[in-house]
Amino acid sequence: MAEEAICKENISINDQWEEVCGQLKMEFGQTAFDSWLKPLSVASFDNGVMNIGAPTAFMKNWVITHYSDRIHRIWERKNPEIKKVNFVVKNISSAPDMSSNLRSGDNSLIWRIKSTPTPQKLYEVANSYNEGEALASKLNPAYTFDNFVVGKTNEFAYAAARKVAESKTIPFNPLFLYSGVGLGKTHLMHAIAQYIKKADPNRTVVYISAEQFLYKFVNALRYKDTDSFKEQFRTVDVLMIDDVQFLANKTKTQDEFFYTFNSLIESGKQIILSADKSPNDLDGIENRLKSRLNSGLVADIMPADYDLRLGILHKKAQQIGITLPDNVAEFLAQKISSSIRELEGSLKRIAAHSQLLSGHEITLDMTQDVLKDMLRSIDRKTTIDEIQKKVAEYFNISVKEMQSSRRARNVARPRQIAMYLAKQLTSRSLPEIGRKFDRDHTTVMHAVRKVEELLLEDVSMTESIEALRRALES
Ligand code: ADP
Ligand code: MG
């Protein structure tokens, strides 16, 4: 019996790790996941302390600085018994399942690692990580221009990306795309790469995440092989580096990147970069590099507005092959506004649910039920208090004034906006919202309608709402 319990516990810990991994993949993207998280495994679980093994010390340290908080938090939520997550080096010889970390199907390669895990071999393996293509990260075949839904908030970035992909000459160099997470940077970069590869197979296009760039560079330094590292990058026609914010404070890698960058630009090669902030706002990036990043075209993607979110949902539903009723699409587009990735994740969950329980029609009730955890955490994120505080700050009035009976326009309008946002961003009912403003539910209803009307005719209202929404969701 006791044995059975222990067995069960082990199974559930490994299952939980799988689930944690699934979530990490969603949050950080496939490339980051493959580079840093996939090679990790559960080493032991003892007395509330979870030990996670990483294959090298370098990897362990990287994971600690970049991912440990997140891993801990996700896991803690799944299993409150976990008090602490530790990272340890679990070297290759004691970790025979390292082979599963390699995506290569080449068995001899795997055999070599198992039998002779010398540093040089590991370096070769690290460099052949991507199925034959030593340099580039994999491209997602679904990330094409055709599958990219264009709206007001991304049309400029889209146009710039298309221009770069279609031009025989170099229209601007570099193209620098930036946005918050999950808004389509990687999608656009993959689209450019796939378009060029198809249109002109002779051009060498390399797409790589900044994390991979860094990882390869650090490895090259370690194994004193920087010359061939440099050579690889300097011979490409189009170089795309995704998420360059990862190079923050990595001075050596930045230097290397700077030289690669200059030499490619000088020889007329196209560079495309992405980051989560504009070049000027990037922290920990040297000034000379910032000014280079600014020297071409900088295009941002703003958070998707409601219409775009709705458009994307319909497109993705069509791709997955499900029928999404309008009221469900509208509900999702309204509730999940921070990232397209989350929007897509929610759609996939509903689709999986309806397909698993075959014949289960997608309805609003079913959606709310399937997504209840997600919706709850969205609601938890924004409270009415917070909305009142942010809106008051934005319009330079006090929260007291907002809750007062004053009807002067400079107070009444912010109050209406706060009520509107409370309706949009939380799941509180109208009477509940009303109470927070010392009003009844009809006043809230009126406010929501008023703001909706203003949104149709007044651009500055749209801007204020979007700015506030972003501030509240960040
Ligand atoms: P980022 O790199 O900015 O974090 P991604 O490019 O990874 O974001 O996008 C996250 C997800 O959202 C991807 O699955 C992508 O296909 C999807 N997505 C983002 N914007 C759009 C869009 N305009 N049309 C269709 N899908 C989109
Ligand atoms: Mg990305």
Side-chain angles (χ1 to χ4, degrees):
M1 184 64 202
E3 218 167 67
E4 208 179 283
I6 291 167
C7 221
K8 247 194 204 143
E9 179 166 294
N10 277 339
I11 291 170
S12 72
I13 291 290
N14 279 323
D15 285 353
Q16 280 168 18
W17 174 236
E18 295 258 296
E19 284 173 25
V20 173
C21 283
Q23 176 132 6
L24 291 169
K25 200 189 297 181
M26 263 190 30
E27 286 183 20
F28 295 106
Q30 186 78 42
T31 318
F33 179 80
D34 284 345
S35 312
W36 306 105
L37 302 164
K38 200 171 167 190
L40 305 178
S41 58
V42 174
S44 63
F45 178 52
D46 203 12
N47 245 338
V49 179
M50 176 66 68
N51 285 308
I52 304 275
T56 63
F58 171 70
M59 216 167 208
K60 182 195 86 173
N61 292 333
W62 182 268
V63 171
I64 290 175
T65 27
H66 291 86
Y67 303 107
S68 61
D69 284 354
R70 208 49 212 133
I71 294 177
H72 189 193
R73 218 162 318 142
I74 298 174
W75 214 336
E76 196 183 38
R77 222 183 298 142
K78 291 204 181 301
N79 182 350
E81 277 172 36
I82 292 173
K83 299 284 173 272
K84 191 162 184 252
V85 179
N86 260 341
F87 293 87
V88 295
V89 178
K90 197 170 142 191
N91 61 34
I92 310 297
S93 49
S94 66
D97 60 349
M98 169 69 177
S99 56
S100 64
N101 300 326
L102 298 171
R103 283 193 266 147
S104 167
D106 178 355
N107 284 328
S108 64
L109 199 63
I110 292 164
W111 178 82
R112 279 206 327 253
I113 313 169
K114 279 186 176 168
S115 56
T116 49
T118 64
Q120 184 56 33
K121 284 283 183 287
L122 288 178
Y123 173 60
E124 282 166 19
V125 169
N127 262 345
S128 61
Y129 193 71
N130 284 299
E131 291 158 350
E133 249 180 288
L135 199 52
S137 304
K138 269 181 104 172
L139 297 172
N140 184 333
Y143 289 178
T144 60
F145 284 126
D146 285 347
N147 286 342
F148 193 81
V149 184
V150 185
K152 272 202 297 256
T153 53
N154 61 18
E155 63 188 0
F156 184 63
Y158 172 81
R162 268 215 101 103
K163 179 95 189 149
V164 165
E166 288 168 0
S167 297
K168 293 272 178 275
T169 54
I170 295 197
F172 18 76
N173 219 357
L175 167 61
F176 188 98
L177 300 170
Y178 76 92
S179 78
V181 293
L183 295 175
K185 299 180 295 293
T186 299
H187 187 134
L188 278 181
M189 291 179 102
H190 285 207
I192 299 174
Q194 301 189 98
Y195 187 99
I196 298 179
K197 282 187 169 194
K198 202 161 156 205
D200 189 354
N202 292 326
R203 277 172 100 189
T204 331
V205 184
V206 165
Y207 164 88
I208 184 170
S209 70
E211 282 189 300
Q212 284 266 359
F213 183 86
L214 177 64
Y215 177 71
K216 282 171 195 286
F217 180 63
V218 171
N219 261 320
L221 278 182
R222 242 175 61 218
Y223 300 105
K224 304 195 175 24
D225 191 20
T226 46
D227 286 348
S228 65
F229 173 84
K230 289 177 187 166
E231 207 37 47
Q232 293 176 64
F233 284 99
R234 290 185 189 172
T235 49
V236 306
D237 295 314
V238 181
L239 176 64
M240 313 176 118
I241 301 192
D242 204 353
D243 289 322
V244 296
Q245 74 273 7
F246 274 106
L247 302 185
N249 303 321
K250 306 284 180 295
T251 337
K252 265 193 178 161
T253 315
Q254 276 183 40
D255 286 346
E256 188 46 46
F257 176 57
F258 184 73
Y259 293 122
T260 307
F261 186 99
N262 287 342
S263 106
L264 284 173
I265 298 246
E266 271 162 29
S267 45
K269 307 298 174 62
Q270 177 76 57
I271 296 182
I272 301 154
L273 305 163
S274 86
D276 65 351
K277 295 198 189 74
S278 73
N280 292 338
D281 290 339
L282 283 173
D283 295 325
I285 300 283
E286 291 166 41
N287 283 335
R288 59 173 189 170
L289 186 52
K290 277 189 187 174
S291 89
R292 289 296 158 135
L293 301 180
N294 258 321
S295 62
L297 183 78
V298 176
D300 66 340
I301 305 179
M302 304 285 280
D305 56 23
Y306 175 78
D307 288 342
L308 181 58
R309 297 200 292 271
L310 204 57
I312 291 174
L313 277 169
H314 283 303
K315 175 104 188 168
K316 302 260 173 195
Q318 196 189 4
Q319 279 169 4
I320 323 179
I322 54 169
T323 316
L324 192 65
D326 283 346
N327 65 342
V328 174
E330 282 157 17
F331 173 78
L332 293 175
Q334 183 137 115
K335 279 286 175 194
I336 305 171
S337 56
S338 57
S339 111
I340 309 294
R341 189 174 297 139
E342 257 187 73
L343 201 60
E344 210 179 339
S346 69
L347 190 63
K348 284 186 182 152
R349 267 167 70 180
I350 305 171
H353 199 82
S354 92
Q355 277 156 6
L356 279 178
L357 307 171
S358 60
H360 238 243
E361 216 186 314
I362 298 176
T363 62
L364 192 54
D365 274 353
M366 174 264 217
T367 302
Q368 283 171 327
D369 185 44
V370 172
L371 300 179
K372 60 178 178 291
D373 290 349
M374 190 179 201
L375 295 170
R376 213 181 291 138
S377 88
I378 291 174
D379 289 343
R380 220 182 295 129
K381 260 192 258 165
T382 5
T383 62
I384 298 178
D385 290 342
E386 238 175 295
I387 294 174
Q388 290 182 332
K389 196 167 139 252
K390 279 267 159 44
V391 176
E393 247 170 48
Y394 186 87
F395 290 101
N396 218 357
I397 61 171
S398 69
V399 173
K400 273 237 155 61
E401 279 176 297
M402 180 175 279
Q403 294 163 334
S404 74
S405 56
R406 283 191 56 204
R407 291 186 183 188
R409 177 119 174 230
N410 70 324
V411 179
R413 191 67 89 226
R415 184 184 298 132
Q416 289 173 328
I417 291 179
M419 288 177 176
Y420 168 84
L421 286 169
K423 181 76 192 91
Q424 286 248 312
L425 302 179
T426 73
S427 61
R428 301 282 159 242
S429 64
L430 294 175
E432 278 174 312
I433 298 172
R435 268 198 292 284
K436 284 279 190 181
F437 291 83
D438 218 3
R439 300 288 197 284
D440 70 12
H441 73 278
T442 54
T443 313
V444 182
M445 209 152 67
H446 173 74
V448 172
R449 272 205 215 117
K450 183 75 204 165
V451 174
E452 276 170 356
E453 259 169 50
L454 288 170
L455 278 172
L456 292 176
E457 59 200 35
D458 182 354
V459 187
S460 73
M461 177 61 95
T462 316
E463 280 166 8
S464 303
I465 296 277
E466 284 303 317
L468 283 163
R469 191 196 276 281
R470 235 171 295 140
L472 284 161
E473 284 170 353
S474 60

